[in-house]
Amino acid sequence: MKKERSLTLLLFALGAVASIVFLLLMKYIIFVTIVLIMTHMIYVLKSHSPVKESSTKLNACIVICAHSEEKVIKRSIESSINQDYPAMKVVIVDDASTDSTPEITLEYKKRFPDRVFYLRNERNLKKFSSVIRAFENFDADVYVFVDADAEFSENFLSYYMPFMERYHALIVPVGSYNESKNIITIFHTIEWGLLSTIAILNFHLLFHGNGQFVKKEVLQFIKEYNLLGTDDGAILKGAVKKGHFRFIHPFGIPLKEYATENFKDFVKQRER
């Protein structure tokens, strides 16, 4: 009886010691992991700082591809024409819209004839084919692709264009302007935040289609090697890898877009 009790106490003591050691080890692992992540974050943020704004003379062309976006397109056009970066133009490619998108766009073109330009697809070509049309018709050093529902600050180009002196392509962090609408928009915004953070820390290359800065050499490479498709993120990823272009996910000003509020909008956003 005494032997059984002693054995039980011994096993209990060993279990307690093992539990304490395990907890201490886990705390150590968690602590070390946090330190490593923070160190990596500091390194990335420092290495991702832009060069001085005055050092870049690159011309920018903001390309907005729109298919029946009458409810939201004013956001992206207003954000684009209000940029404080001087060497830029805005090209809206109307991808066979059936609503009042053409009329809205042409009104801006009339008001800003030296800055806003318009192209029309008579049939729906999808986003990246529309991007290539803009590339073929308007010359620039850097093409900036934004969705029709995008919204961004007036120093958006001034902040990111200096990066393009050193890189061939970059994708900006993404957020939303309607994150508090309902539970779907909250989760969608959190998803964007997590994916952007993972990409900025170089844990994973994220190629989404909104907020891309791409040099014309990359677009020329895509056109020459016929890398076109329906997924613009996958197209850029393929070009960067095959062409060995320098790419970066910088830390900086987020581009805000519409977070989907229902399943119908979710599907539509991915069809653009």
Side-chain angles (χ1 to χ4, degrees):
M1 190 73 176
K2 287 183 179 181
K3 287 184 179 181
E4 290 180 358
R5 187 174 298 176
S6 299
L7 182 59
T8 301
L9 290 173
L10 179 61
L11 292 174
F12 178 79
L14 290 173
V17 170
S19 298
I20 293 171
V21 171
F22 175 77
L23 290 173
L24 290 173
L25 184 61
M26 286 302 296
K27 287 175 67 177
Y28 173 76
I29 293 172
I30 293 171
F31 173 76
V32 171
T33 302
I34 292 173
V35 170
L36 289 174
I37 290 175
M38 290 182 68
T39 303
H40 184 64
M41 184 182 297
I42 292 170
Y43 166 77
V44 170
L45 295 185
K46 284 185 176 180
S47 64
H48 285 201
S49 60
V51 295
K52 293 181 179 180
E53 293 180 9
S54 60
S55 65
T56 180
K57 296 180 180 179
L58 298 174
N59 292 312
C61 177
I62 297 178
V63 181
I64 304 170
C65 299
H67 173 66
S68 300
E69 302 284 2
E70 62 181 6
K71 293 182 180 179
V72 295
I73 194 169
K74 287 184 178 181
R75 286 183 180 272
S76 58
I77 297 178
E78 290 284 346
S79 293
S80 299
I81 62 178
N82 288 329
Q83 291 299 298
D84 60 12
Y85 190 80
M88 58 85 67
K89 62 176 72 76
V90 183
V91 176
I92 299 99
V93 184
D94 173 16
D95 199 15
S97 296
T98 56
D99 61 2
S100 62
T101 296
E103 289 76 15
I104 294 171
T105 302
L106 289 171
E107 180 60 33
Y108 278 101
K109 183 180 184 300
K110 183 179 179 180
R111 288 169 53 195
F112 305 95
D114 297 328
R115 197 165 233 206
V116 177
F117 302 89
Y118 175 77
L119 287 174
R120 164 96 179 165
N121 297 334
E122 294 306 321
R123 60 186 181 86
N124 188 249
L125 299 179
K126 299 301 181 182
K127 184 176 178 179
F128 214 86
S129 293
S130 297
V131 165
I132 293 298
R133 277 208 70 201
F135 165 66
E136 291 172 338
N137 286 273
F138 297 93
D139 184 53
D141 298 310
V142 178
Y143 294 82
V144 184
F145 313 142
V146 299
D147 286 347
D149 60 356
E151 184 178 283
F152 39 97
S153 62
E154 64 181 16
N155 63 333
F156 185 72
L157 286 186
S158 295
Y159 182 86
Y160 286 112
M161 282 298 289
F163 282 103
M164 301 308 292
E165 293 283 356
R166 295 177 287 176
Y167 296 92
H168 293 96
L170 70 80
I171 295 182
V172 307
V174 176
S176 69
Y177 48 75
N178 64 326
E179 67 275 2
S180 59
K181 181 73 174 181
N182 56 41
I183 191 67
I184 298 175
T185 60
I186 291 172
F187 277 108
H188 200 165
T189 305
I190 291 173
E191 176 192 28
W192 280 332
L194 289 173
L195 290 174
S196 292
T197 302
I198 290 170
I200 290 169
L201 295 177
N202 293 331
F203 293 145
H204 176 66
L205 286 181
L206 174 66
F207 290 82
H208 56 74
N210 202 4
Q212 295 180 351
F213 284 63
V214 182
K215 276 190 172 177
K216 62 181 177 182
E217 302 96 285
V218 180
L219 291 177
Q220 187 62 45
F221 182 86
I222 290 171
K223 184 180 176 182
E224 286 181 3
Y225 287 87
N226 196 28
L227 300 179
L228 297 177
T230 56
D231 187 338
D232 39 329
I235 293 168
L236 181 57
K237 184 176 182 179
V240 166
K241 287 189 173 182
K242 290 182 180 180
H244 303 288
F245 294 110
R246 286 173 57 80
F247 173 82
I248 188 174
H249 277 291
F251 174 80
I253 302 169
L255 179 146
K256 295 183 179 181
E257 65 176 47
Y258 168 81
T260 52
E261 299 176 4
N262 52 61
F263 184 74
K264 181 180 177 181
D265 288 336
F266 180 88
V267 173
K268 181 181 177 182
Q269 187 184 60
R270 281 146 184 81
E271 288 179 341
R272 278 204 297 266

